[in-house]
Every structure is written in structure tokens, then in C-alpha cells.
Amino acid sequence: MKRIYLILAALMLLCLAPMPYGYFHLVRFVAMVVFGIMAYRYYQINKVAASCVFGVLALLFQPIYKIALGRTVWNVVDVVVAVLLIALFVMEKRIERKTTVRLQPLPPDDHPKLEDNAVEFSLNGRLDPKELVYVASEEDKALTDLFETRPEVLEGWGQMIGFHIVYLPLLIKRLRDKRVLQYRAPYLSDAELKDIPIGNDFLLQYLENPSDKEKIKQGFIRTEDIHRGSDGKDKATNRFYPLSSKSGEPLADQLHRIGKQIAIEKERHDRLLESSTQSYDEWGDAECDSANFADDNFSPEEQEETINELMEEVRERIGKLRQRGIAEYLLEQLIHPDNRLSRLFITKDWRILLPDYNNMEIKMEPLVKAVYLLFLRHPEGITFKQLPDYREELTRIYNQLKPSGLTDRAIQSIEDVTNPMLNSINEKCARIRAAFVGQFDEYMAKSYYIDGLRGEAKKIALPRNLVTWE
């Protein structure tokens, strides 16, 4: 693009000489295209003023409806625009020289001494292990301009070391899919979705020790480990890598050093994990009782085949973000649900509506919906071994959903779903979970679907004062 600046500037200056009429027409057309592209480029990186300037120039030079300024005025315009293009070329060349990353081998060091760069965060999850997030407690204008105007510099470096580089303000500006944002926060209005403030100091609010903020000026963080804290909550040990345009060390050398340090840290951490690997059974050592087969195998989130079938759309939405290098957890923190639960309405025609989530409707197949309504009617919960006792009630509910009558197939399906020795109830619970998680975030959806521990009653956690039956 920089070479085009010089070519167009030369074309403009040639307009001062006596040229054929067709030449001026060609210059107008070329200028319109180039200035239109430049206006769009500056719009993408949120340089509004520059975008407007080149947009106006594109309109000025367009050859369709010619603006009559006179030969003398046009000569002045051509010279001014040519000078502007040459100045732009020189400026971008200088920026390129300052920011170009040319990695040179550093002297070998078999036993490098690494500074203690561990910073603990009180997070309920973790960043993606293949992700470096830029954080800053104070502004470095040179780095800010670099990340916003030339993101390809860091993206290229990240690819070389096997990491996604995330710059939060630019990330939010690139989020164009309103459906994804509404999935994370279904209670937000369209106006609220358009204004989600985010800065480079966003993640610093989760520091376990606020005093650590003093050593975080500008740089990247990487999650290395998750451990259980003394308060019983998960903590994330992150590594911090400082980066500065004022350190006197060339940016390329800083990035190279960070890449090498990450490789060394990962190798050491992997060796430590290999020497301290422990295995455990989340459910304990209880033997599986065939009479409680459904309860022993209850785990709605593990019914992967069912979830994959019913959540294809939401996976596609989240996938759009992950293609940009956004971990699921980072997305969680950017658009953090506040557990604002919606009321749940069961209409006269048995539709399930969430009025406080933009009147969202949760759709299910008749038998799946019948199971859901059964558990909704029993806030105390139902143990799977007691399911045969609820077969008659489930049949009545199903009859209300399908007033045309019971078929032999429907009767058999009801018997299967109330048989604790079969897996049918688990499949239905998985489909119920998918119906909610397919519409909005798990953080809130867990209050709406059937859940519980093995051996205990399964229930819907939603407070019943939020449930209305018409």
C-alpha cells in the first residue's frame, strides 16, 4: 500500500504538465479507488478523522460527477494531496522500522536465571494456555498506537511462538456479532450491547494481591497453573512479561526474550507436572449398582453427542470468537454475566418463555418438555430410583402436551424414561440442558436445567417465586 502512495503522488504531480484529457480522467478514477480503500482501512482501526479525510478526497476525485474547480485550483489540490501522500509514506516507513520484528539468535544459555514473574489471580476459570493477553496499569502511547494500527506485528510474533495475542480494547471493537454478546448476557438491551467498556487494566481487578499491580506496568500475562487456595476457591497462577517502548531495548529483542522465557518456563513446568502427577476419581470408589444405572451415569454435560447435535448454532457463534484467539474464559470475563435470572412463564399452550431475556422461548420435544415440567413441579427434587412412582404424573403431563392421545411408541418412551435401569432419563436431561445452554450462557443456564449429585435428588435450582403457570 505504501508504494501506491508514491505512485499516486507522482500521478498527481504529473497533472501539472500538459497531459491528454484521458490522463486526468484516469487519475481521478485511480485516486477515487485508492482513497476509498484508505478511508475503509482507517475506519477499521478506529481512526475516524483520517477515515473522513480520505472519504472526502475519494468523493472529490470521483470521475462520475465532476466538481468544476478550475485548472489553477485543481493544480493546488494535486500538489497538496501529493505532499500528503509522500508525508504519509515517510511516516509509515518510520513506524515500520521501529516495529519490524527481526529475530536474531540470542547467545546460548543452558541455565538462564529467570526472574520470579508469577502473579496470582482470583479467577473462577483460566485463560487459554495458548493465549497471551496484554495488560497495563498505565498507558504506553507508543505501544498503544502499535497494537491498534499494526496488529499484524504481534499476531505474526504470536504465530511464531505458538500463541494468540489478545489486545482487549481492539478485541471489543472487532466484536460485530450481536448474537454472541446476547448469548453471554441475554438481559442486555441493544443499546447496552453497543457500549461495553473495556480497557487494558480490566483483568487487574482479579489480582489476588492488589499490591502486585505495582509491578505490572505494561506487558503480557499467561496462565500457567490452577490451584486451590486456602479459602477453597480456585486461583490462577499467571506469568507476567513486561514490555515497554521506553526501556531502551528494541521491541524485537524484547519479544524474542519473552518467547524464549516462555519456552523455558513451559519446559520446567511440564517436568514438574510429570513428577507429581496424581490420579483421582471425582465420584469416589463407590461401585456401580445396576439398579441405579441412570443415577450412576448422570452427568448431563457429558452427553457429548446430544449436545453436539443440539448446540451446533451456539458452537458456531463462539467459534467465530475463538477464531480471533479468544478463550472461552476470557470471553466470560469481558462480558461477565451477573446472574440476573429471568422469570419463567409456562403459557396455557405449554410454551416456556423467559420474559426478562428479551422474551426468549425455550423449545423442546414433547417428551423432553414433559420431563422438564415434571421436575419443575417438584422443587424438592426427584431421585432417579423413585422415577417409577412419577410415571403416572409424567403421562398426564405428556397427555396435556399431546392431547391427540398416547401412541404405543409414546407409552414405551415414558416407561423407558422412568426406568432407573436405563439411560433414557440422562438423555432427556442432556437435551433439557442443551435447550437452555443453546440460548444463553451456562453461568445462568445452570439455574434452569435439571442437575444434582449422584445418589441425591435431581432438581431445577430456579427459585419458584420466579415461575409462573398460566
Side-chain angles (χ1 to χ4, degrees), residues 235-288:
K235 313 293 181 183
T237 299
N238 288 268
R239 296 286 177 182
F240 174 68
Y241 310 95
L243 190 71
S244 174
S245 65
K246 306 172 185 177
S247 67
E249 183 182 10
L251 178 64
D253 290 349
Q254 293 184 61
L255 295 178
H256 190 191
R257 175 173 45 77
I258 291 173
K260 185 175 181 180
Q261 182 174 351
I262 290 174
I264 295 171
E265 290 171 349
K266 288 181 63 180
E267 182 180 357
R268 291 180 178 178
H269 187 255
D270 290 344
R271 287 202 302 266
L272 180 63
L273 285 180
E274 289 177 2
S275 63
S276 60
T277 300
Q278 297 179 354
S279 62
Y280 63 93
D281 180 3
E282 181 183 358
W283 297 106
D285 298 324
E287 296 181 0
C288 179

Side-chain angles (χ1 to χ4, degrees), residues 281-328:
D281 180 3
E282 181 183 358
W283 297 106
D285 298 324
E287 296 181 0
C288 179
D289 183 355
S290 60
N292 295 319
F293 177 84
D295 196 16
D296 291 334
N297 291 277
F298 178 75
S299 184
E301 66 274 12
E302 293 180 2
Q303 301 290 333
E304 289 297 335
E305 184 175 354
T306 302
I307 297 299
N308 283 334
E309 290 174 358
L310 299 181
M311 291 182 61
E312 182 176 351
E313 182 181 357
V314 70
R315 288 178 184 275
E316 180 182 350
R317 298 177 195 172
I318 299 300
K320 289 179 181 179
L321 297 180
R322 297 186 69 86
Q323 288 172 5
R324 298 189 177 103
I326 310 170
E328 180 90 12

